[in-house]
Amino acid sequence: VERTAALLDRVASRFPEVAGRSRREVATFVFATCAGAISLARAIEAPRARERLIAATEAMLLHALELDRRTG
């Protein structure tokens, strides 16, 4: 837990600002989302279903962080 907290503290400044949330909260959200998606993908036997899960997770993260609206 301490290592994860230290990692989040180190990378939080690299995440975009989201209204009403600290960068640390955004980093925690991304970390938890990715960890959950990876865990679930490992439990799915069908390769295409795993790919769809990861693609959907990526798309939702980009949308939630409004990175899908940024250019360049």
Side-chain angles (χ1 to χ4, degrees), residues 29 33 53-66 68:
F29 161 71
T33 301
L53 171 71
I54 297 300
T57 302
E58 179 182 12
M60 290 303 296
L61 281 170
L62 291 173
H63 181 73
L65 298 175
E66 298 183 353
D68 58 345

Side-chain angles (χ1 to χ4, degrees), residues 3-67:
R3 280 198 244 168
T4 302
L7 173 66
L8 290 171
D9 288 340
R10 289 183 65 188
V11 301
S13 65
R14 298 174 187 228
F15 285 85
E17 292 183 1
V18 174
R21 300 288 174 208
S22 70
R23 290 179 188 258
R24 175 70 155 64
E25 288 173 316
V26 174
T28 302
F29 161 71
V30 171
F31 181 79
T33 301
C34 291
I38 290 168
S39 294
L40 186 55
R42 287 181 175 172
I44 297 173
E45 291 186 30
R48 289 189 56 146
R50 284 194 301 264
E51 291 170 10
R52 285 193 307 268
L53 171 71
I54 297 300
T57 302
E58 179 182 12
M60 290 303 296
L61 281 170
L62 291 173
H63 181 73
L65 298 175
E66 298 183 353
L67 296 175

